Amino acid sequence: MAAVTSVQYFTERFSLTCNKPVSHLQLACCPSHCAVPWQDKNIRIYENNNLEPPLELTGHHGDVSAMAFGTVTDRLLLCSASEDYVIVWDIDRCYTQIKEGGIASGRVVGTLLGRVVHLSLCPLSAKMAACSGSRVFILNAEREEAPRVLKAHLGPVTASEFCPWDVNLLVSTSEDRTFKIWDMKKGDILFESAVLSAYPLLSLFFMEQNSQFITGSGDGQLWCYTLPVDHKCRLVTKLDLSKLEQKHERNLRKNISPQIRPDGATRNDVRGTVETAKPVLRIWAQKLHSSHTSLKQRGSCVWIGSSDGLYLLDLDTSELLMNLPLRGDLSISMAGSWAISNELGGNMCCLVTSLFGTSVALLEVNSARLDELCFRMATGLSVDEQLSAVPSSPLMTMSPLNAELAKHGPKPQRKIGVSCQKSVKDQPLVFHTQVKSSGYNTAPHRTMFRPKTNVKKKSISSATTITNTKCLLSEYPSHFEAPCMPYAHLTVSTTPTLVSSLQYSGDGKQIACGLGDGSVLLYNSSLTSNPAVYTGHSKAVNTVFWSQSKRWILSTSEDPALCIWTANASEPVLTMGVEQFAKPIRSAQFYYLDKFLLLASGSNLMLYLYHLDTTRDDIKRYKQRSKSKLASKFSMKSGTDISSVSAINDFYSYIVLAAGADHTIQVFDMNQGCMATQISDAHCRAAHHLTQNKGSPFCTQALESYNLFLSSALTDGLKLWDLRTARCVRRYDSHVNRYHHCTAVFSPCGRFVATGSEDHTAYIYDTRSSNFLHKLPRHSETVLNVAFNPANPECVFCPAALLWDLGGTPSSFHC
């Protein structure tokens, strides 16, 4: 028995030395027993809680190359393989034979299969899969029969596993860098992947709760796929173990002191580490039993056994939670293979072989210390004060949100003298602001006045009833499924023009579109009538935003210029240009129930007070009567440029999110007038889009749901964040976003997320899962912008401007 290591997380139960290297052999470990090869042809069975004396099994004539534990009808079985035999051992029966003075014996189920490198047992059907060369042999674990041979791989098969929820499915991985899904009844291939990596696929693991499986390669790459009923696998996420470790180390250096690091390394040790490939040797899932609330909710954590230690990954967020390296007093510093299992007491047991030596060690991971580490790391990385999009305190006295725009009344006339009052000054010939036409060009009247004698009186009660009915808000059908059927298609321009921005009005009756030619189009929600066109920008429009009152439309472009429009006028009510902004406006919107204009230009985040006046002087049309005034200005902490901004305007909220070019997301508290927290390394690149779960006037959500927001970055997918903990809670990576700035949006009910993609499709995700629900085609170009109707279950995608219906029945509109 070895002493507890210096890092206090690994306990070495025992270690033994074999006469030959066993670095790449498949070892066996279960909650109660572990099996190791002994003297090449024999096997020793150890009890995890009582290591002596071991149970020794003899029966193979060749070197044992693979072992696996399994249970069939509550009996613990051990499957072992060599070049001559595949033997199934009943462990309880073997113990009984030894106690009675006999020799432990097993049952031969396969003969002369070649060198078997991997064994797996199906507990439901008593079938066993043995991988030898480029073939997979399906054996009967109860008796010896002629095996069924599955052969289609171009290289040696490295692993195979039975599907837990469908015993007729088998997944195999190979050195040809592909995986295949087999139908064991017919022996057919149901799905075959493309070449995933330049290195062979080494490991495979099923996650039954999500209907997913994970495979890993020799260079540290991991792929997570779904296995639906139609057997068409979908990629959920792809991870690089080395990059995740680098990001994890950066976060530890910034947020956590070296005293609570799990590996005990100092800051200088971390900077001096050399980046090497980390082969995925073993994958194992284990739920964390921590007392911390955020860790209790993690149900997608998997352990990855690599050559230098164990890694705990969260597949929902694609983040590395912790790493436990093989250091200290352990007899093995570089692992060749892993066998991982949960102990009966709650701890995790790991059977490890040495990569370059002949040692085998049984390690125990202390669950109590592991939970303590999880809690300390979670509290070390959490924000100091819990934030919320819904305010819980009133405005402070000195809050920037208390600013008001001074109202200027009419200026009194200055009285200088009596002679000055009586003197006649030069005045225009017309004394009104509007000039009435003289009528010279109108046709003369040919009919005299005729009284109307057949006028019918309208019913006042019916008119009042119709008006009151139209004012009522109908409830959004939150029980509808995700969009699946298109029922309207519209081309916004006859020339190739980019649709750069898109948004529904608050009542869902109109859609505003910003185009690359500098114009803004206003459609009705059914896309059936001709749009209203607003021209005032000289460059591409990058933002359109509706006011909460549904009266004004805000647009910005690369001029830099900001214009505010009204639906019944072709000229902007307010224009802000180069004199206010030195750099282009990256994002702009109404904020705080239309009280402010929130702008981002360069590294500055600005709040403007404004007053809109729609009256016009026909003589002085060049002079606008609307006014704006800078109320507050905030700067990014590092001075980097802002790439995107998000804030809620549908209700009072103090929170403003800003994404910077330095890959950070900064959260500003406008009530206090300062930055509340910062998320470092939110993406591997700068986030080009931020959006919050703003809900809808037609649908009610739980208050906690408004704390969710999305961020999107090139080559780094879409991330779902929780504002209260400033942590990523889920990642969506099935869509393609490598070059264009594709945006995303929440549905009014908060159940779905829609995003554009570069593969000419749009993706609909469920916020409760990382899998996409629907992949909506019929687009001819990259889908950049998406928008949900806040009143009706439908959504619009651009640039093709396709309108999709939720549930597949176009009940609201007929096109």
Side-chain angles (χ1 to χ4, degrees):
M1 295 287 292
V4 179
T5 63
S6 58
V7 292
Q8 300 295 317
Y9 299 105
F10 279 125
T11 301
E12 187 170 304
R13 289 288 189 88
F14 75 91
S15 63
L16 55 90
T17 303
C18 302
N19 56 347
K20 287 185 179 180
V22 291
S23 57
H24 298 297
L25 297 185
Q26 181 193 8
L27 305 183
C29 187
C30 70
S32 58
H33 295 79
C34 63
V36 296
W38 181 251
Q39 294 180 354
D40 300 337
K41 302 176 184 179
N42 298 337
I43 301 171
R44 279 191 172 182
I45 307 296
Y46 291 89
E47 293 184 14
N48 294 340
N49 296 326
N50 185 15
L51 300 179
E52 294 181 0
L55 173 64
E56 189 165 344
L57 306 178
T58 60
H60 288 283
H61 296 167
D63 295 346
V64 177
S65 57
M67 294 172 289
F69 278 109
T71 56
V72 177
T73 62
D74 297 333
R75 292 180 299 150
L76 180 61
L77 303 180
L78 174 68
C79 305
S80 61
S82 61
E83 291 187 0
D84 52 355
Y85 297 134
V86 176
I87 304 177
V88 176
W89 312 83
D90 190 333
I91 301 301
D92 294 335
R93 182 171 175 269
C94 291
Y95 274 113
T96 303
Q97 291 175 346
I98 294 297
K99 289 181 180 179
E100 294 176 354
I103 300 176
S105 61
R107 181 173 55 255
V108 177
V109 297
T111 307
L112 300 178
L113 301 182
R115 178 176 171 80
V116 178
V117 297
H118 190 274
L119 289 172
S120 59
L121 186 66
C122 180
L124 300 180
S125 60
K127 293 180 181 179
M128 183 169 53
C131 303
S132 177
S134 60
R135 299 172 296 178
V136 179
F137 296 91
I138 306 301
L139 307 174
N140 192 332
E142 299 290 342
R143 58 187 178 273
E144 185 175 7
E145 295 178 350
R148 172 173 289 181
V149 182
L150 306 178
K151 183 177 180 181
H153 284 286
L154 302 179
V157 180
T158 56
S160 64
E161 294 290 344
F162 291 91
C163 181
W165 59 89
D166 191 349
V167 296
N168 294 319
L169 296 182
L170 180 77
V171 181
S172 61
T173 60
S174 171
E175 290 186 6
D176 61 5
R177 300 157 294 171
T178 65
F179 68 86
K180 290 177 173 57
I181 301 177
W182 303 84
D183 184 352
M184 291 192 300
K185 285 185 177 181
K186 301 179 180 179
D188 298 335
I189 298 177
L190 300 176
F191 183 83
E192 181 178 2
S193 73
V195 175
L196 300 181
S197 173
Y199 288 76
L201 302 181
L202 301 179
S203 55
L204 183 67
F205 183 77
F206 277 95
M207 299 188 66
E208 187 174 1
Q209 67 272 21
N210 298 329
S211 297
Q212 299 174 354
F213 67 92
I214 314 164
T215 181
S217 64
D219 60 343
Q221 304 286 332
L222 289 110
W223 295 264
C224 181
Y225 285 89
T226 60
L227 187 53
V229 180
D230 57 358
H231 308 129
K232 295 181 180 179
C233 297
R234 301 172 180 175
L235 178 64
V236 177
T237 184
K238 178 185 176 183
L239 305 175
D240 189 332
L241 201 57
S242 299
K243 293 182 179 180
L244 291 178
E245 186 185 22
Q246 294 175 11
K247 180 181 178 180
H248 181 68
E249 295 293 347
R250 288 196 301 267
N251 293 336
L252 289 179
R253 288 199 299 266
K254 292 178 181 179
N255 301 288
I256 300 181
S257 61
Q259 286 76 13
I260 65 173
R261 290 173 51 87
D263 53 1
T266 61
R267 181 172 300 181
N268 295 330
D269 296 336
V270 173
R271 291 179 178 177
T273 55
V274 180
E275 180 182 355
T276 58
K278 302 180 184 299
V280 181
L281 304 176
R282 180 67 172 171
I283 308 174
W284 183 260
Q286 183 192 30
K287 291 186 178 180
L288 296 180
H289 303 284
S290 176
S291 57
H292 196 256
T293 305
S294 63
L295 294 175
K296 279 184 179 180
Q297 300 173 354
R298 297 182 185 268
S300 60
C301 297
V302 293
W303 286 99
I304 306 297
S306 187
S307 57
D308 58 350
L310 284 177
Y311 296 84
L312 182 61
L313 300 183
D314 188 354
L315 296 180
D316 283 345
T317 61
S318 300
E319 292 182 350
L320 176 63
L321 299 181
M322 69 178 65
N323 62 326
L324 303 179
L326 295 174
R327 293 181 181 175
D329 302 331
L330 301 178
S331 59
I332 296 177
S333 59
M334 293 292 288
S337 64
W338 290 80
I340 307 174
S341 176
N342 295 330
E343 249 189 353
L344 297 177
N347 295 342
M348 188 172 65
C349 282
C350 307
L351 195 60
V352 193
T353 64
S354 177
L355 180 61
F356 303 110
T358 59
S359 300
V360 178
L362 179 64
L363 307 179
E364 178 188 3
V365 180
N366 193 307
S367 60
R369 294 193 178 102
L370 195 62
D371 292 342
E372 180 185 358
L373 174 64
C374 292
F375 177 75
R376 294 170 67 182
M377 293 181 68
T379 54
L381 292 171
S382 61
V383 296
D384 298 333
E385 182 180 355
Q386 192 175 73
L387 302 174
S388 177
V390 181
S392 58
S393 59
L395 282 176
M396 302 173 62
T397 306
M398 301 302 294
S399 173
L401 300 179
N402 283 325
E404 296 289 342
L405 188 63
K407 297 181 180 180
H408 299 282
K411 295 183 179 180
Q413 296 182 357
R414 298 178 61 186
K415 297 181 180 180
I416 302 176
V418 179
S419 60
C420 295
Q421 293 181 5
K422 294 182 179 180
S423 62
V424 179
K425 297 183 179 181
D426 294 335
Q427 293 184 356
L429 297 178
V430 180
F431 301 98
H432 306 285
T433 58
Q434 294 183 355
V435 181
K436 186 178 180 180
S437 175
S438 59
Y440 289 117
N441 293 330
T442 60
H445 294 284
R446 296 184 182 275
T447 57
M448 299 300 292
F449 170 76
R450 294 180 181 179
K452 295 181 179 180
T453 58
N454 55 352
V455 177
K456 295 182 179 181
K457 295 183 179 180
K458 297 182 180 180
S459 177
I460 301 177
S461 59
S462 61
T464 307
T465 304
I466 295 174
T467 304
N468 294 337
T469 304
K470 290 183 178 180
C471 294
L472 295 177
L473 297 179
S474 59
E475 185 177 358
Y476 183 90
S478 58
H479 61 279
F480 271 47
E481 296 298 328
C484 59
M485 174 182 286
Y487 71 96
H489 179 229
L490 179 68
T491 302
V492 298
S493 178
T494 56
T495 60
T497 304
L498 177 69
V499 181
S500 56
S501 185
L502 179 74
Q503 193 187 35
Y504 271 98
S505 59
D507 55 4
K509 296 181 180 180
Q510 293 177 304
I511 306 174
C513 302
L515 303 184
D517 58 1
S519 61
V520 177
L521 304 183
L522 183 61
Y523 288 92
N524 60 14
S525 57
S526 59
L527 304 178
T528 55
S529 61
N530 294 327
V533 183
Y534 306 94
T535 56
H537 296 286
S538 59
K539 292 185 179 181
V541 176
N542 54 26
T543 303
V544 291
F545 198 91
W546 281 90
S547 65
Q548 194 270 343
S549 62
K550 300 176 286 292
R551 294 182 57 195
W552 318 107
I553 305 173
L554 180 148
S555 64
T556 61
S557 69
E558 300 288 338
D559 301 342
L562 179 146
C563 297
I564 297 180
W565 314 81
T566 183
N568 54 4
S570 59
E571 296 182 0
V573 181
L574 174 65
T575 302
M576 302 170 64
V578 183
E579 60 275 5
Q580 285 98 342
F581 314 110
K583 294 184 178 181
I585 303 173
R586 294 303 177 191
S587 183
Q589 67 168 84
F590 293 96
Y591 174 59
Y592 210 65
L593 290 181
D594 298 344
K595 181 178 180 180
F596 297 96
L597 298 177
L598 180 64
L599 312 175
S601 177
S603 61
N604 297 323
L605 189 65
M606 294 168 281
L607 281 178
Y608 273 88
L609 292 167
Y610 65 98
H611 170 70
L612 301 180
D613 191 348
T614 57
T615 60
R616 287 284 183 178
D617 189 345
D618 288 345
I619 298 177
K620 299 181 180 180
R621 297 185 62 86
Y622 61 89
K623 187 177 181 181
Q624 65 176 7
R625 298 187 174 184
S626 301
K627 299 178 182 179
S628 62
K629 178 185 177 182
L630 180 63
S632 299
K633 179 188 287 187
F634 307 91
S635 298
M636 299 290 281
K637 184 178 181 180
S638 59
T640 184
D641 286 350
I642 299 175
S643 57
S644 181
V645 170
S646 177
I648 296 179
N649 187 46
D650 295 338
F651 56 86
Y652 289 117
S653 178
Y654 305 150
I655 300 299
V656 174
L657 308 176
D662 57 350
H663 309 177
T664 63
I665 297 177
Q666 298 185 17
V667 183
F668 290 88
D669 188 348
M670 291 301 174
N671 187 23
Q672 299 182 2
C674 63
M675 187 190 73
T677 186
Q678 174 177 298
I679 304 175
S680 302
D681 289 331
H683 289 274
C684 63
R685 295 192 180 185
H688 61 261
H689 179 68
L690 291 174
T691 184
Q692 293 173 263
N693 184 16
K694 304 174 183 179
S696 168
F698 303 87
C699 186
T700 303
Q701 300 183 30
L703 293 181
E704 294 79 9
S705 301
Y706 296 104
N707 293 314
L708 300 177
F709 68 93
L710 293 168
S711 65
S712 182
L714 298 179
T715 70
D716 202 21
L718 187 66
K719 289 187 177 183
L720 179 65
W721 302 82
D722 191 343
L723 181 63
R724 295 167 294 179
T725 58
R727 283 176 170 269
C728 176
V729 295
R730 197 168 298 279
R731 180 181 177 184
Y732 308 100
D733 202 20
S734 298
H735 61 286
V736 182
N737 189 11
R738 301 189 183 98
Y739 181 76
H740 296 91
H741 289 179
C742 301
T743 62
V745 67
F746 284 96
S747 64
C749 59
R751 294 169 53 203
F752 308 114
V753 171
T755 181
S757 180
E758 295 176 8
D759 57 356
H760 300 182
T761 59
Y763 287 76
I764 305 295
Y765 293 98
D766 192 335
T767 55
R768 298 164 296 180
S769 173
S770 299
N771 307 333
F772 68 89
L773 297 176
H774 294 288
K775 185 178 179 180
L776 307 179
R778 293 187 59 181
H779 300 278
S780 59
E781 298 292 339
T782 298
V783 181
L784 296 179
N785 298 281
V786 293
F788 274 99
N789 192 324
N792 297 311
E794 60 190 22
C795 52
V796 172
F797 304 96
C798 285
L802 277 176
L803 188 63
W804 294 73
D805 182 42
L806 301 181
T809 55
S811 57
S812 301
F813 307 103
H814 304 277
C815 303

mmCIF file of all heavy atoms in Angstrom, residues 444-450:
data_model
loop_
_atom_site.group_PDB
_atom_site.id
_atom_site.type_symbol
_atom_site.label_atom_id
_atom_site.label_comp_id
_atom_site.label_asym_id
_atom_site.label_seq_id
_atom_site.Cartn_x
_atom_site.Cartn_y
_atom_site.Cartn_z
ATOM 1 N N PRO A 444 -60.974 73.007 -62.389
ATOM 2 C CA PRO A 444 -62.130 73.764 -61.868
ATOM 3 C C PRO A 444 -63.253 72.830 -61.448
ATOM 4 O O PRO A 444 -63.398 71.727 -61.965
ATOM 5 C CB PRO A 444 -62.540 74.638 -63.048
ATOM 6 C CG PRO A 444 -62.054 73.902 -64.243
ATOM 7 C CD PRO A 444 -60.778 73.233 -63.833
ATOM 8 N N HIS A 445 -64.060 73.272 -60.478
ATOM 9 C CA HIS A 445 -65.197 72.493 -59.988
ATOM 10 C C HIS A 445 -66.302 72.508 -61.028
ATOM 11 O O HIS A 445 -66.723 73.575 -61.501
ATOM 12 C CB HIS A 445 -65.721 73.066 -58.669
ATOM 13 C CG HIS A 445 -64.741 72.928 -57.549
ATOM 14 N ND1 HIS A 445 -64.504 71.751 -56.905
ATOM 15 C CD2 HIS A 445 -63.935 73.858 -56.969
ATOM 16 C CE1 HIS A 445 -63.593 71.928 -55.963
ATOM 17 N NE2 HIS A 445 -63.227 73.218 -55.987
ATOM 18 N N ARG A 446 -66.826 71.377 -61.435
ATOM 19 C CA ARG A 446 -67.892 71.273 -62.432
ATOM 20 C C ARG A 446 -69.239 70.920 -61.811
ATOM 21 O O ARG A 446 -70.254 70.948 -62.485
ATOM 22 C CB ARG A 446 -67.519 70.223 -63.465
ATOM 23 C CG ARG A 446 -66.271 70.614 -64.273
ATOM 24 C CD ARG A 446 -65.980 69.592 -65.362
ATOM 25 N NE ARG A 446 -64.773 69.932 -66.090
ATOM 26 C CZ ARG A 446 -64.748 70.785 -67.124
ATOM 27 N NH1 ARG A 446 -65.856 71.354 -67.542
ATOM 28 N NH2 ARG A 446 -63.611 71.058 -67.741
ATOM 29 N N THR A 447 -69.241 70.521 -60.579
ATOM 30 C CA THR A 447 -70.510 70.190 -59.920
ATOM 31 C C THR A 447 -70.680 71.053 -58.696
ATOM 32 O O THR A 447 -69.717 71.380 -58.001
ATOM 33 C CB THR A 447 -70.527 68.711 -59.518
ATOM 34 O OG1 THR A 447 -69.410 68.441 -58.679
ATOM 35 C CG2 THR A 447 -70.440 67.813 -60.761
ATOM 36 N N MET A 448 -71.926 71.409 -58.454
ATOM 37 C CA MET A 448 -72.241 72.217 -57.288
ATOM 38 C C MET A 448 -72.374 71.305 -56.072
ATOM 39 O O MET A 448 -72.332 70.080 -56.170
ATOM 40 C CB MET A 448 -73.552 72.987 -57.526
ATOM 41 C CG MET A 448 -73.483 73.927 -58.713
ATOM 42 S SD MET A 448 -72.210 75.187 -58.524
ATOM 43 C CE MET A 448 -72.922 76.127 -57.196
ATOM 44 N N PHE A 449 -72.570 71.922 -54.935
ATOM 45 C CA PHE A 449 -72.727 71.173 -53.692
ATOM 46 C C PHE A 449 -74.026 70.375 -53.702
ATOM 47 O O PHE A 449 -75.076 70.905 -54.092
ATOM 48 C CB PHE A 449 -72.703 72.132 -52.502
ATOM 49 C CG PHE A 449 -73.095 71.496 -51.212
ATOM 50 C CD1 PHE A 449 -72.212 70.665 -50.544
ATOM 51 C CD2 PHE A 449 -74.365 71.711 -50.675
ATOM 52 C CE1 PHE A 449 -72.568 70.081 -49.356
ATOM 53 C CE2 PHE A 449 -74.724 71.116 -49.489
ATOM 54 C CZ PHE A 449 -73.817 70.305 -48.822
ATOM 55 N N ARG A 450 -73.957 69.094 -53.331
ATOM 56 C CA ARG A 450 -75.122 68.242 -53.233
ATOM 57 C C ARG A 450 -75.176 67.636 -51.828
ATOM 58 O O ARG A 450 -74.238 66.963 -51.415
ATOM 59 C CB ARG A 450 -75.072 67.118 -54.259
ATOM 60 C CG ARG A 450 -75.173 67.623 -55.697
ATOM 61 C CD ARG A 450 -75.105 66.441 -56.662
ATOM 62 N NE ARG A 450 -75.172 66.907 -58.037
ATOM 63 C CZ ARG A 450 -75.111 66.106 -59.099
ATOM 64 N NH1 ARG A 450 -74.973 64.790 -58.928
ATOM 65 N NH2 ARG A 450 -75.185 66.611 -60.320
#
